[in-house]
Amino acid sequence: MSLMQTEYTQAPPATPNVMIIFGAGGDLTRRKLVPALYHLCAAGLLPESFAMLGLDRLELGDESFRDRLADTLSESVGSAYSADVWERLRGSLHYMRIDMLADQDYEELCERLTRIDAERATEGNYLFYLAVPPSLFGEITNRLGEVGLLHESDSDWRRVIIEKPFGHDLDSAVTLNEAMHRNMDEEQIYRIDHYLGKETVQNIMVFRFANGFIEPLWNRHHIDHVQITVAESVGVEHRGAYYEEAGALRDMIPNHLLVLLGFLAMEPPNSFEAQAVREEINKTLDAIIPLTHEQVLTHSVRGQYAAGTTAAGEAVNAYRDSPHVDPKSRTETFVALKLTMDNWRWAGVPFYLRTGKRLAGQYTEIAIQFKRAPTMMFKDTDTDQLEPDMLVLRIQPNEGIQMSFGAKIPGPQMQVGTVNMDFCYEDYFGNKPATGYETLIYDCMNGDATLFKHADTVEKGWEIVQSVMDVWQALPPRDFPNYAAGSWGPCAAGELLRRDGRRWRRIQTEAATATDCTGSRS
């Protein structure tokens, strides 16, 4: 059972283990992983028999490593920080210098883990977290396999978490999966996507399948279309070199957005067990119709941000002026796609996806627009058109669910207005401190792979976007940059929906009045 099902009941601590982090000197460890372990410790979800071993090239001892983490931890966890909790966690943190490509260092790693097992009673259970560039995934797992650290027995387990990107196209994703499978079974590999640690993402399944009034409406007969938006207000910051190689399409669509679509559109699984859920997600991705090269020209939009102004009034530079970015870069920082499915439930229902950097707000949501009600009975009233009902699943910020529908405006005449019912997680359950990694790390420690990607899921995601990548590579953009920083993206994104007689939902943020030519509906 996942932590998502036990968050507000008494969840048991995870099984004893050592969490070994390759790349422990990096930002991910300091800003996300150690704060996540801190929150698990505060909630009583880490076992007493637990240790974390950080690995990197830095010359550090255990105490200096702990001090480095302490310097940033209080800032990362904010008001939730407790000196008592940190002291409990601090003693379980260890460090070892390692050259990740040196065979002899892995022999020393075996010896260090044997000593930690004896000191902390961790029972030989190892969780390896590869917070390193993907080019090292195969190198590291090969060496771990050669020294026996990936071999499981009846009395212990060995698991590996890897971060995206899982390849940069279909061929590289297949090659990466083959490299990982040379040393491990698929059941030992946990491909992490921190979006799946968000409560609302996990709640999609509960909302759909635990409420009898929702599932009968969740199909082509009642739903007009779906919009999935992942908007980022930040630019590429210090990731220019990476972003020049990846771009918004590779960075976001096969990973975050298609996984959200999979949870939203899948058929009911037989249970919430990992295999059943992942099989249904894979079936859903299989049903997505890949765009032909001709359709890429009409069903996709790419953009790159120019200089502009943020919601706070701060002037920001264009993408091409960012460090390590080509001054004539053709890399996209915005993507919008129209996808359809070939299955019984969703035939004819378009799914519109958009994501971008330097947009008007930091916002992730799924908007489900229902078909309009017939207006014939209102023909003799002042109501000439009914707005469609809409269900919005807010993933960040202010995680929650909003439903908009028609209601009569008070007065002697028959007039219909749109009203909202709004559920916010914080209002009902409190604002639990989280990085998005707590649930995922806890689940991995307990062997629950429900919220992690299967190899097939990764490859199907790349199959869906491969034709888009091929066409965009063959036909470089002529109009970059084509949207101002602080706007909601290029005007062509609005045209993508306007051609179908639809509009993007206007996201209500403090920047709702930002420059917008996307045809958004308030």
Side-chain angles (χ1 to χ4, degrees):
M1 178 177 290
S2 168
L3 178 61
M4 70 180 184
Q5 297 159 277
T6 58
E7 176 85 10
Y8 300 102
T9 59
Q10 187 56 48
T15 57
N17 70 92
V18 184
M19 181 175 176
I20 304 103
I21 302 177
F22 284 83
D27 283 348
L28 179 65
T29 300
R30 291 196 301 272
R31 293 186 299 105
K32 299 295 184 181
L33 302 185
V34 171
L37 291 175
Y38 173 92
H39 292 145
L40 290 173
C41 181
L45 296 174
L46 283 184
E48 289 291 331
S49 301
F50 171 76
M52 188 271 270
L53 175 61
L55 305 176
D56 217 317
R57 292 192 174 195
L58 300 171
E59 291 284 359
L60 296 173
D62 287 353
E63 282 303 317
S64 55
F65 178 60
R66 293 163 183 168
D67 290 342
R68 279 171 57 93
L69 297 177
D71 290 341
T72 56
L73 181 68
S74 59
E75 179 181 348
S76 297
V77 303
S79 60
Y81 180 79
S82 164
D84 291 340
V85 174
W86 169 237
E87 282 306 310
R88 294 206 308 271
L89 180 63
R90 180 187 176 100
S92 66
L93 305 180
H94 305 270
Y95 181 82
M96 173 181 164
R97 185 194 177 281
I98 189 173
D99 180 342
M100 298 177 198
L101 300 181
D103 294 343
Q104 66 272 16
D105 284 9
Y106 287 79
E107 297 289 348
E108 295 179 17
L109 176 59
C110 289
E111 296 172 3
R112 183 68 182 273
L113 289 174
T114 298
R115 293 199 299 272
I116 291 175
D117 277 334
E119 294 168 5
R120 305 288 301 185
T122 46
E123 302 179 4
N125 298 323
Y126 302 150
L127 166 55
F128 297 96
Y129 199 117
L130 306 191
V132 296
S135 58
L136 292 175
F137 291 169
E139 298 281 0
I140 291 173
T141 52
N142 280 339
R143 288 167 173 78
L144 290 174
E146 288 170 358
V147 296
L149 285 175
L150 296 179
H151 176 72
E152 296 183 309
S153 69
D154 293 338
S155 59
D156 58 43
W157 51 259
R158 310 290 166 86
R159 298 168 189 146
V160 175
I161 293 180
I162 61 173
E163 285 267 354
K164 76 173 184 71
F166 312 116
H168 61 271
D169 58 15
L170 178 57
D171 289 343
S172 61
V174 171
T175 299
L176 176 58
N177 284 333
E178 289 174 348
M180 301 294 286
H181 289 151
R182 279 197 292 270
N183 296 284
M184 293 174 287
D185 295 331
E186 175 63 25
E187 291 71 25
Q188 293 177 267
I189 305 170
Y190 289 70
R191 299 170 187 83
I192 197 168
D193 182 343
H194 70 274
Y195 264 64
L196 298 187
K198 302 288 186 181
E199 287 296 334
T200 309
V201 176
Q202 301 164 43
N203 197 43
I204 292 172
M205 290 191 293
V206 176
F207 183 70
R208 281 186 60 187
F209 304 132
N211 296 296
F213 72 98
I214 287 294
E215 187 59 24
L217 305 177
W218 215 256
N219 55 61
R220 59 188 170 87
H221 298 297
H222 301 283
I223 292 177
D224 178 79
H225 73 278
V226 176
Q227 301 177 18
I228 300 178
T229 297
V230 179
E232 297 183 86
S233 59
V234 297
V236 296
E237 310 304 332
H238 60 281
R239 301 173 68 222
Y242 163 75
Y243 215 79
E244 278 289 88
E245 295 293 326
L249 180 68
R250 282 187 169 97
D251 190 46
M252 297 296 290
I253 300 294
N255 301 298
H256 300 323
L257 277 81
L258 287 181
V259 171
L260 294 179
L261 191 156
F263 273 95
L264 182 83
M266 71 178 181
E267 293 298 315
N270 293 330
S271 70
F272 281 138
E273 294 300 317
Q275 183 175 352
V277 172
R278 294 162 103 186
E279 283 180 357
E280 294 303 334
I281 289 176
N282 285 342
K283 290 178 185 176
T284 298
L285 297 185
D286 261 339
I288 295 175
I289 305 171
L291 300 179
T292 65
H293 289 171
E294 292 75 16
Q295 287 176 321
V296 171
L297 302 178
T298 57
H299 288 48
S300 70
V301 173
R302 53 181 158 169
Q304 185 189 93
Y305 66 83
T309 305
T310 67
E314 176 190 0
V316 292
N317 292 330
Y319 170 73
R320 291 178 175 181
D321 294 327
S322 302
H324 310 297
V325 170
D326 185 342
K328 297 182 180 180
S329 175
R330 297 172 174 177
T331 300
E332 78 284 352
T333 61
F334 178 96
V335 178
L337 297 176
K338 173 187 174 182
L339 299 175
T340 56
M341 294 191 202
D342 184 14
N343 62 14
W344 184 259
R345 182 184 293 267
W346 297 111
V349 177
F351 287 76
Y352 300 101
L353 283 58
R354 63 173 171 171
T355 183
K357 295 282 190 183
R358 281 287 183 227
L359 297 181
Q362 189 85 6
Y363 217 87
T364 301
E365 69 168 35
I366 301 171
I368 299 101
Q369 181 169 307
F370 293 90
K371 293 185 175 180
R372 295 179 189 272
T375 58
M376 183 175 296
M377 67 182 294
F378 294 92
K379 64 182 183 295
D380 296 325
T381 73
D382 290 339
T383 299
D384 57 356
Q385 187 175 7
L386 296 175
E387 286 296 317
D389 298 335
M390 185 171 285
L391 177 69
V392 180
L393 307 176
R394 293 192 309 272
I395 296 169
Q396 70 172 7
N398 303 323
E399 295 182 67
I401 300 172
Q402 175 185 315
M403 182 74 181
S404 62
F405 54 90
K408 182 182 178 298
I409 298 174
Q413 295 175 310
M414 174 56 74
Q415 292 180 302
V416 179
T418 298
V419 298
N420 293 321
M421 293 178 63
D422 203 338
F423 154 69
C424 181
Y425 273 93
E426 182 178 353
D427 293 341
Y428 279 80
F429 301 117
N431 187 15
K432 290 185 175 291
T435 65
Y437 283 82
E438 289 83 0
T439 293
L440 300 171
I441 292 173
Y442 177 84
D443 283 358
C444 185
M445 289 178 177
N446 286 319
D448 185 345
T450 305
L451 299 177
F452 295 85
K453 290 187 175 183
H454 191 277
D456 293 344
T457 308
V458 171
E459 293 176 16
K460 291 177 193 301
W462 285 115
E463 287 175 5
I464 291 167
V465 301
Q466 188 65 53
S467 62
V468 181
M469 293 191 299
D470 292 343
V471 172
W472 286 4
Q473 184 174 4
L475 299 174
R478 298 178 180 179
D479 60 347
F480 278 8
N482 60 355
Y483 72 96
S487 71
W488 281 111
C491 295
E495 187 61 29
L496 182 68
L497 273 71
R498 269 194 294 269
R499 286 195 294 267
D500 298 338
R502 300 182 174 98
R503 291 177 289 176
W504 290 107
R505 189 185 98 87
R506 184 185 293 276
I507 297 175
Q508 299 298 329
T509 70
E510 67 278 2
T513 58
T515 303
D516 188 359
C517 58
T518 61
S520 300
R521 176 188 292 108
S522 297

Short mmCIF file of all heavy atoms in Angstrom, two decimals, residues 163-193:
data_model
loop_
_atom_site.label_atom_id
_atom_site.label_comp_id
_atom_site.label_asym_id
_atom_site.label_seq_id
_atom_site.Cartn_x
_atom_site.Cartn_y
_atom_site.Cartn_z
N GLU A 163 16.79 9.19 -12.10
CA GLU A 163 16.09 10.43 -12.42
C GLU A 163 16.00 10.59 -13.94
O GLU A 163 16.84 10.09 -14.68
CB GLU A 163 16.83 11.64 -11.84
CG GLU A 163 16.68 11.81 -10.35
CD GLU A 163 15.52 12.73 -9.98
OE1 GLU A 163 14.91 13.31 -10.90
OE2 GLU A 163 15.24 12.87 -8.77
N LYS A 164 14.98 11.33 -14.40
CA LYS A 164 14.91 11.66 -15.81
C LYS A 164 16.06 12.61 -16.16
O LYS A 164 16.62 13.25 -15.25
CB LYS A 164 13.55 12.31 -16.12
CG LYS A 164 13.39 13.76 -15.68
CD LYS A 164 12.09 14.32 -16.18
CE LYS A 164 11.94 15.78 -15.85
NZ LYS A 164 12.81 16.67 -16.61
N PRO A 165 16.43 12.73 -17.43
CA PRO A 165 15.74 12.14 -18.58
C PRO A 165 16.10 10.67 -18.79
O PRO A 165 17.25 10.28 -18.58
CB PRO A 165 16.25 12.99 -19.75
CG PRO A 165 17.62 13.43 -19.34
CD PRO A 165 17.53 13.65 -17.85
N PHE A 166 15.09 9.89 -19.17
CA PHE A 166 15.29 8.47 -19.46
C PHE A 166 15.52 8.36 -20.97
O PHE A 166 14.65 7.94 -21.73
CB PHE A 166 14.08 7.66 -19.03
CG PHE A 166 13.60 7.98 -17.63
CD1 PHE A 166 12.35 8.54 -17.41
CD2 PHE A 166 14.41 7.75 -16.53
CE1 PHE A 166 11.91 8.86 -16.13
CE2 PHE A 166 13.98 8.07 -15.24
CZ PHE A 166 12.73 8.62 -15.05
N GLY A 167 16.71 8.78 -21.40
CA GLY A 167 17.01 8.84 -22.82
C GLY A 167 16.65 10.20 -23.39
O GLY A 167 16.03 11.03 -22.72
N HIS A 168 17.04 10.45 -24.66
CA HIS A 168 16.68 11.69 -25.32
C HIS A 168 15.87 11.46 -26.59
O HIS A 168 15.48 12.40 -27.27
CB HIS A 168 17.94 12.51 -25.66
CG HIS A 168 18.89 11.81 -26.58
ND1 HIS A 168 19.89 10.98 -26.13
CD2 HIS A 168 19.00 11.81 -27.94
CE1 HIS A 168 20.57 10.50 -27.16
NE2 HIS A 168 20.05 10.98 -28.27
N ASP A 169 15.62 10.19 -26.91
CA ASP A 169 14.72 9.79 -27.99
C ASP A 169 14.42 8.31 -27.80
O ASP A 169 14.87 7.70 -26.82
CB ASP A 169 15.31 10.09 -29.37
CG ASP A 169 16.65 9.40 -29.61
OD1 ASP A 169 17.01 8.47 -28.85
OD2 ASP A 169 17.36 9.80 -30.56
N LEU A 170 13.66 7.74 -28.73
CA LEU A 170 13.25 6.34 -28.56
C LEU A 170 14.46 5.40 -28.56
O LEU A 170 14.56 4.52 -27.69
CB LEU A 170 12.27 5.95 -29.67
CG LEU A 170 11.80 4.49 -29.65
CD1 LEU A 170 11.14 4.14 -28.33
CD2 LEU A 170 10.84 4.24 -30.82
N ASP A 171 15.37 5.58 -29.50
CA ASP A 171 16.51 4.66 -29.58
C ASP A 171 17.36 4.70 -28.32
O ASP A 171 17.78 3.65 -27.80
CB ASP A 171 17.37 5.01 -30.80
CG ASP A 171 16.70 4.66 -32.12
OD1 ASP A 171 15.73 3.87 -32.09
OD2 ASP A 171 17.12 5.20 -33.16
N SER A 172 17.63 5.91 -27.81
CA SER A 172 18.46 6.01 -26.61
C SER A 172 17.73 5.46 -25.38
O SER A 172 18.36 4.91 -24.47
CB SER A 172 18.89 7.45 -26.37
OG SER A 172 17.76 8.29 -26.19
N ALA A 173 16.41 5.60 -25.33
CA ALA A 173 15.64 5.05 -24.21
C ALA A 173 15.70 3.53 -24.22
O ALA A 173 15.86 2.89 -23.16
CB ALA A 173 14.20 5.52 -24.28
N VAL A 174 15.59 2.94 -25.41
CA VAL A 174 15.70 1.48 -25.53
C VAL A 174 17.09 1.02 -25.10
O VAL A 174 17.24 0.04 -24.34
CB VAL A 174 15.40 1.02 -26.97
CG1 VAL A 174 15.73 -0.46 -27.15
CG2 VAL A 174 13.94 1.27 -27.32
N THR A 175 18.12 1.74 -25.54
CA THR A 175 19.49 1.39 -25.18
C THR A 175 19.71 1.49 -23.67
O THR A 175 20.34 0.63 -23.06
CB THR A 175 20.48 2.33 -25.91
OG1 THR A 175 20.32 2.17 -27.32
CG2 THR A 175 21.91 2.01 -25.52
N LEU A 176 19.16 2.56 -23.05
CA LEU A 176 19.30 2.73 -21.61
C LEU A 176 18.60 1.59 -20.86
O LEU A 176 19.16 1.03 -19.91
CB LEU A 176 18.71 4.07 -21.18
CG LEU A 176 18.68 4.36 -19.69
CD1 LEU A 176 20.08 4.30 -19.08
CD2 LEU A 176 18.03 5.71 -19.41
N ASN A 177 17.39 1.25 -21.27
CA ASN A 177 16.68 0.16 -20.61
C ASN A 177 17.45 -1.16 -20.73
O ASN A 177 17.52 -1.95 -19.78
CB ASN A 177 15.27 0.01 -21.19
CG ASN A 177 14.33 1.09 -20.70
OD1 ASN A 177 14.50 1.63 -19.61
ND2 ASN A 177 13.32 1.41 -21.49
N GLU A 178 18.01 -1.41 -21.90
CA GLU A 178 18.80 -2.64 -22.09
C GLU A 178 20.01 -2.65 -21.17
O GLU A 178 20.35 -3.69 -20.58
CB GLU A 178 19.23 -2.76 -23.55
CG GLU A 178 18.08 -3.08 -24.51
CD GLU A 178 18.50 -3.04 -25.97
OE1 GLU A 178 19.63 -2.54 -26.24
OE2 GLU A 178 17.72 -3.48 -26.83
N ALA A 179 20.66 -1.48 -21.02
CA ALA A 179 21.84 -1.40 -20.15
C ALA A 179 21.45 -1.67 -18.70
O ALA A 179 22.17 -2.37 -17.97
CB ALA A 179 22.48 -0.03 -20.29
N MET A 180 20.32 -1.12 -18.26
CA MET A 180 19.88 -1.34 -16.88
C MET A 180 19.50 -2.80 -16.66
O MET A 180 19.76 -3.37 -15.59
CB MET A 180 18.69 -0.44 -16.57
CG MET A 180 18.96 1.06 -16.72
SD MET A 180 20.15 1.70 -15.52
CE MET A 180 19.14 1.72 -14.04
N HIS A 181 18.88 -3.42 -17.66
CA HIS A 181 18.40 -4.79 -17.50
C HIS A 181 19.55 -5.81 -17.53
O HIS A 181 19.34 -6.97 -17.16
CB HIS A 181 17.39 -5.13 -18.59
CG HIS A 181 16.08 -4.42 -18.41
ND1 HIS A 181 15.26 -4.08 -19.45
CD2 HIS A 181 15.45 -3.97 -17.30
CE1 HIS A 181 14.18 -3.47 -19.00
NE2 HIS A 181 14.29 -3.38 -17.69
N ARG A 182 20.73 -5.40 -17.96
CA ARG A 182 21.86 -6.33 -17.94
C ARG A 182 22.25 -6.71 -16.52
O ARG A 182 22.83 -7.77 -16.29
CB ARG A 182 23.06 -5.71 -18.67
CG ARG A 182 22.99 -5.83 -20.18
CD ARG A 182 24.36 -5.59 -20.82
NE ARG A 182 24.81 -4.22 -20.67
CZ ARG A 182 24.56 -3.26 -21.55
NH1 ARG A 182 23.83 -3.52 -22.63
NH2 ARG A 182 25.01 -2.04 -21.35
N ASN A 183 21.96 -5.83 -15.57
CA ASN A 183 22.39 -6.09 -14.19
C ASN A 183 21.24 -6.22 -13.20
O ASN A 183 21.46 -6.57 -12.05
CB ASN A 183 23.30 -4.93 -13.74
CG ASN A 183 24.58 -4.85 -14.54
OD1 ASN A 183 25.49 -5.64 -14.34
ND2 ASN A 183 24.63 -3.91 -15.48
N MET A 184 20.01 -5.91 -13.65
CA MET A 184 18.87 -5.92 -12.73
C MET A 184 17.62 -6.41 -13.44
O MET A 184 17.49 -6.29 -14.66
CB MET A 184 18.58 -4.50 -12.21
CG MET A 184 19.63 -3.91 -11.33
SD MET A 184 19.23 -2.18 -10.95
CE MET A 184 19.59 -1.41 -12.53
N ASP A 185 16.69 -6.94 -12.66
CA ASP A 185 15.35 -7.20 -13.17
C ASP A 185 14.58 -5.88 -13.20
O ASP A 185 14.90 -4.93 -12.47
CB ASP A 185 14.62 -8.19 -12.27
CG ASP A 185 15.27 -9.57 -12.28
OD1 ASP A 185 15.87 -9.92 -13.30
OD2 ASP A 185 15.19 -10.26 -11.24
N GLU A 186 13.55 -5.82 -14.02
CA GLU A 186 12.73 -4.61 -14.12
C GLU A 186 12.15 -4.23 -12.75
O GLU A 186 12.01 -3.05 -12.43
CB GLU A 186 11.60 -4.82 -15.13
CG GLU A 186 10.61 -3.68 -15.24
CD GLU A 186 11.24 -2.38 -15.74
OE1 GLU A 186 12.27 -2.44 -16.43
OE2 GLU A 186 10.69 -1.29 -15.42
N GLU A 187 11.84 -5.23 -11.93
CA GLU A 187 11.24 -4.97 -10.62
C GLU A 187 12.19 -4.25 -9.67
O GLU A 187 11.76 -3.71 -8.64
CB GLU A 187 10.77 -6.28 -9.97
CG GLU A 187 9.58 -6.92 -10.65
CD GLU A 187 9.92 -7.51 -12.01
OE1 GLU A 187 11.12 -7.85 -12.24
OE2 GLU A 187 9.01 -7.62 -12.86
N GLN A 188 13.49 -4.22 -9.98
CA GLN A 188 14.45 -3.53 -9.13
C GLN A 188 14.67 -2.08 -9.54
O GLN A 188 15.32 -1.32 -8.82
CB GLN A 188 15.81 -4.26 -9.18
CG GLN A 188 15.82 -5.63 -8.55
CD GLN A 188 17.17 -6.30 -8.70
OE1 GLN A 188 17.42 -7.03 -9.65
NE2 GLN A 188 18.08 -6.00 -7.78
N ILE A 189 14.13 -1.68 -10.69
CA ILE A 189 14.40 -0.35 -11.24
C ILE A 189 13.22 0.57 -10.97
O ILE A 189 12.07 0.26 -11.32
CB ILE A 189 14.65 -0.43 -12.77
CG1 ILE A 189 15.78 -1.42 -13.07
CG2 ILE A 189 15.00 0.96 -13.32
CD1 ILE A 189 15.93 -1.73 -14.55
N TYR A 190 13.49 1.71 -10.37
CA TYR A 190 12.46 2.69 -10.02
C TYR A 190 12.78 4.01 -10.73
O TYR A 190 13.65 4.76 -10.28
CB TYR A 190 12.39 2.88 -8.51
CG TYR A 190 11.80 1.69 -7.78
CD1 TYR A 190 12.50 0.48 -7.70
CD2 TYR A 190 10.55 1.76 -7.19
CE1 TYR A 190 11.95 -0.62 -7.05
CE2 TYR A 190 9.99 0.67 -6.53
CZ TYR A 190 10.69 -0.52 -6.47
OH TYR A 190 10.16 -1.59 -5.85
N ARG A 191 12.08 4.28 -11.83
CA ARG A 191 12.28 5.52 -12.60
C ARG A 191 11.38 6.59 -11.97
O ARG A 191 10.16 6.52 -12.07
CB ARG A 191 11.95 5.29 -14.07
CG ARG A 191 12.82 4.23 -14.74
CD ARG A 191 12.30 3.85 -16.11
NE ARG A 191 13.04 2.73 -16.67
CZ ARG A 191 12.78 1.45 -16.39
NH1 ARG A 191 11.78 1.15 -15.55
NH2 ARG A 191 13.48 0.49 -16.93
N ILE A 192 12.00 7.59 -11.39
CA ILE A 192 11.27 8.52 -10.55
C ILE A 192 10.81 9.75 -11.35
O ILE A 192 11.53 10.25 -12.21
CB ILE A 192 12.12 8.94 -9.34
CG1 ILE A 192 11.26 9.57 -8.23
CG2 ILE A 192 13.24 9.90 -9.75
CD1 ILE A 192 12.01 9.73 -6.91
N ASP A 193 9.62 10.19 -11.07
CA ASP A 193 9.07 11.44 -11.60
C ASP A 193 8.43 12.14 -10.41
O ASP A 193 7.39 11.72 -9.91
CB ASP A 193 8.03 11.16 -12.69
CG ASP A 193 7.46 12.43 -13.32
OD1 ASP A 193 7.63 13.52 -12.71
OD2 ASP A 193 6.84 12.35 -14.39
#
